[in-house]
Every structure is written in C-alpha cells, then in structure tokens.
Amino acid sequence: MTRIRLLAFALAALTACSAAAQESGTLAPKPLPPLANPDDPKTPAKELFGRKTDPAPLSARSIGGYARGCVAGAQALPIDGETWQVMRLSRNRNWGHPNLIAFLERLTRRTPQINGWPGLLVGDIAQPRGGPMITGHASHQIGLDADVWLTPMPDRRLSRAEREQMSATDMVRPDRLDVDPSVWTPGHTALLRAVSREPEVARIFVNAAIKKALCREAGQDRAWLTKIRPMFGHNYHFHIRLACPAGDEGCADQDPPAGDGCGAELDQWFTDKMLHPKPGPPRPPMTMAQLPPECRRVLVAK
Ligand SMILES: [Zn+2]
C-alpha cells in the first residue's frame, strides 16, 4: 500500500473502535426516541439500524462490506460462558453471524491452553441487524468483526455494573511508541499468534505499538504476523475480523494482506502525522441508498 493510501485508509478508520471500548455504559439505557420521518431517504442508516433491538428473522448472511453492510439472521453471543463474559451489555452489540459466534465460543474455550487466562472479555461485535452504528465503529457492520479485550477474564462472574464500568488496560506507553512493559506479557503475544493462525480469521487490528512488539517477539516463524495490522486505537482491545462465510454471495472480502507488515510499512505509523492525526471534516452519514439494497429487507424483516 502506498503511503498516501495507507494514510487515507487509516484516517477513514480513525473512529473505528478508538475510545469506544473504554466509554463506560449504564445499567439503565434509555431507548432511542422514535424517528419523526424514518422513511425520509436522507435519514442516516445508523439511526435506523441503531433502533433495531432484535435480529432479522432470515437465514444467516453477511451482506456487503465490513464498513458498508448489514447482517441477516444474526445470533447473540450469550452474555456468559464458562470461558467468556460479554462487556457493556447496555450496548446490545453482542450479535454476529453464527460463524463468528461459534468461532468466539471455540476460541475462548481454547484460551486457558493458549496463554493461561481463564477466558476472554468480549466487547462490541455488531448490532442485532448489523449496519452502521450511532457511536463507535466504522466497521462491525456485517457481523464478522469482534472486539476482544486485552485484559484477561477474571476468575469470577462480573456483575452487570462492573461490565458497564470496568476499564480495560491500556497496553501502550504514553508516548505511543511502544507497548508498556509493565502490562504487556508473553500471554498477549501467544493469544494474538493463536488467533491469527485460525484459518477463518482474515485480519486482526491492533495498535501500531502492539504490532511493533509482535514484530520484535515473533522470532523465526513470522507468517502469523501477516494478518495482524496496525490501526488507530486498539490499545485496550484487539479486533478480530473473519473472512466472508463460504457461499455468502454479496459479502465482500478484502484483499489478503502481504508480507509481515513490519519494517518500513510499520515505521510510517510512528511519524508525527500518524501519531497526532488531524481528523478531516466529518463525512455525511451513510444513508440506506449507500448500503446494499438487500439491507433494506434486513432492516424491515419481521
Ligand atoms: Zn473493532
């Protein structure tokens, strides 16, 4: 990727899950007020998808691209499993394509063997019908993206209040140039390596300082570094992106990344422009016309 394309891509994703994981939630979320003119074609799609509290009762499909699409027949990750707990329940974003939900359950069950953690804390996956969100992410729209905390699941059930208020750990040094050695552990590297080796995983996004640590710690076998790519934020959690489910026509895969992504490509992330990016003018929100036409069916399905 050229320097300019990299910057444009990175800035476009600037809001993607940056501070969102650390915003605390509330035990008594207020439902959004009904829209006065939901059929107005200018209505932002996030206002429509953000008001859906249940999945579209259609067969499971990821439709469109990771940052421009929706999901039919989504499943919820149960808020508790033996080896996982869902955080920020008030957001109702624990929905995903059944492939992703099954993947997360399998991954968390393996976590104790991977790095000794009791399990994983799961942040945002997607809204019940996917689509753009009122707060937080540019992607996470087709039920194939999930944020997982870089903090181990504790050895006890967290209360609902703790799940709204507890903060994850910032893994990056205040100068953003490297990980914080007082919190970064070999267990983090082991987990990211294991997730990256899963064939269904297309990408993992981490903060550039974390990528730097992985490049340093990978040793001889570097193939697993390819899927792990730097992104703004992602210093409290990492982002797992699965490839499109087999046979899901209309689900748009990204081109596979090349190389280990270390070296010069990574160095660009530590330039002043990238460390202190100036966000461009706000973009007009996406409307239904900009999403795949089938997302309209997903939105209204009863
Ligand atoms: Zn994310």
Side-chain angles (χ1 to χ4, degrees), residues 194-205:
V195 179
S196 182
R197 282 178 172 159
E198 291 293 327
E200 292 163 88
V201 171
R203 289 275 202 294
I204 296 169
F205 295 114

Side-chain angles (χ1 to χ4, degrees), residues 49-72:
F49 280 97
R51 280 170 171 75
K52 293 294 173 187
T53 55
D54 60 350
L58 303 167
S59 49
R61 272 183 68 199
S62 292
I63 301 162
Y66 297 96
R68 191 185 288 270
C70 59
V71 57

Side-chain angles (χ1 to χ4, degrees), residues 16-18 20 124-125 136-140 145-148 205 231 234 237-241:
C17 8
S18 50
D124 283 1
I125 304 175
H137 312 270
S139 65
H140 291 252
D145 295 282
D147 289 340
V148 173
F205 295 114
M231 186 55 66
H234 297 84
H237 68 260
F238 68 105
H239 177 136
I240 301 174
R241 170 168 294 170

Side-chain angles (χ1 to χ4, degrees), residues 204-217:
I204 296 169
F205 295 114
V206 295
N207 188 275
I210 293 176
K211 174 79 186 186
K212 188 194 264 185
L214 298 175
C215 289
R216 186 170 55 226
E217 292 167 16

